Amino acid sequence: MTPTTDPRLQLAPAGARAGTWLFLLGFVLPLAITAIALAFAVQGKGELKLIAGSLPLTIVLTLGGLAVLCGGLWWLLARMMRRQSLQLSPAGIDVRSSFYRCQVPLQELKLDQARVVDLDEHTELKPTLKTNGFSIPGFHSGWFLLRNRRRTFVAIAEGRRKLWLPGNGRRDLLLEPRDPHAVLARLRELAATGGRG
């Protein structure tokens, strides 16, 4: 598949809200929990095992080591959240989102039933159960069960308009391109030309 160069036909990037949640959950929260646990351990009556017999050294190494570990994990997840691509070709659609990829041939998509939706109005298409995915508020990527109980590959951020592409097999797609109408029109054009465009 050749890359799609039209920016309207690409997936919407994760927004600032998703980035903030990732930082809070992946970096700040583990450090805060560890700091609180260390404070309780120091004040507790039990014996605390110290590194080289030094309480300050134990605290610095524990929090510093955790900060390095969480910082590395946060950096990796933030980088993967930016891995968003959508390729359309006569052969089908190829979606890459964070750690996940889904390829669906055009003939397996029910393009006559596909539509651009607002999930606040079409709540049956909201992701409910993550079966194999990456999800934080404002970003969903991977395989989910929707409220309509269909197993679906999801690549959405926090915009209002999503593209629902039902399949005739076991793969449905719920995507958030920058311009969902343009992607749907391009898919229908490719299907109408029988893979010659």
Side-chain angles (χ1 to χ4, degrees), residues 61-85:
L61 288 179
T62 301
L63 292 178
L66 185 62
V68 169
L69 179 67
C70 289
L73 181 61
W74 168 74
W75 177 84
L76 173 67
L77 293 174
R79 184 172 172 87
M80 293 309 292
M81 274 181 28
R82 290 190 299 271
R83 183 182 177 255
Q84 297 278 87
S85 80

Side-chain angles (χ1 to χ4, degrees), residues 6-194:
D6 186 343
R8 297 173 311 137
L9 305 181
Q10 287 302 314
L11 293 176
R17 177 177 167 230
T20 300
W21 273 104
L22 180 64
F23 181 71
L24 290 173
L25 294 173
F27 188 78
V28 174
L29 184 63
L31 284 175
I33 290 171
T34 303
I36 291 168
L38 281 171
F40 277 114
V42 167
Q43 293 176 358
K45 296 180 180 169
E47 193 171 315
L48 182 64
K49 297 213 181 230
L50 302 176
I51 298 172
S54 169
L55 180 60
L57 181 63
T58 300
I59 292 171
V60 167
L61 288 179
T62 301
L63 292 178
L66 185 62
V68 169
L69 179 67
C70 289
L73 181 61
W74 168 74
W75 177 84
L76 173 67
L77 293 174
R79 184 172 172 87
M80 293 309 292
M81 274 181 28
R82 290 190 299 271
R83 183 182 177 255
Q84 297 278 87
S85 80
L86 180 61
Q87 295 180 11
L88 310 175
S89 78
I93 186 168
D94 183 4
V95 186
R96 295 175 195 221
S97 179
S98 70
F99 299 97
Y100 304 94
R101 181 179 187 184
C102 182
Q103 296 175 296
V104 182
L106 268 183
Q107 65 269 19
E108 287 187 19
L109 293 174
K110 296 180 180 177
L111 294 175
D112 57 325
Q113 296 175 24
R115 61 191 189 273
V116 176
V117 297
D118 181 338
L119 294 185
D120 290 336
E121 296 170 7
H122 296 274
T123 58
E124 73 278 5
L125 298 176
K126 281 189 174 183
T128 55
L129 180 65
K130 178 173 46 177
T131 59
N132 181 9
F134 172 38
S135 178
I136 57 174
F139 184 79
H140 300 283
S141 172
W143 291 98
F144 292 77
L145 276 181
L146 304 185
R147 284 190 181 164
N148 65 5
R149 298 180 188 258
R150 291 185 66 111
R151 185 172 182 264
T152 303
F153 185 83
V154 175
I156 60 175
E158 54 192 323
R160 287 188 52 94
R161 300 288 178 201
K162 317 296 186 210
L163 178 58
W164 165 244
L165 294 168
N168 60 13
R170 50 188 182 86
R171 292 178 285 193
D172 293 349
L173 299 169
L174 180 64
L175 309 175
E176 188 178 334
R178 292 174 193 250
D179 186 342
H181 293 285
V183 171
L184 183 55
R186 179 66 179 141
L187 286 170
R188 287 177 173 160
E189 176 187 314
L190 288 169
T193 60

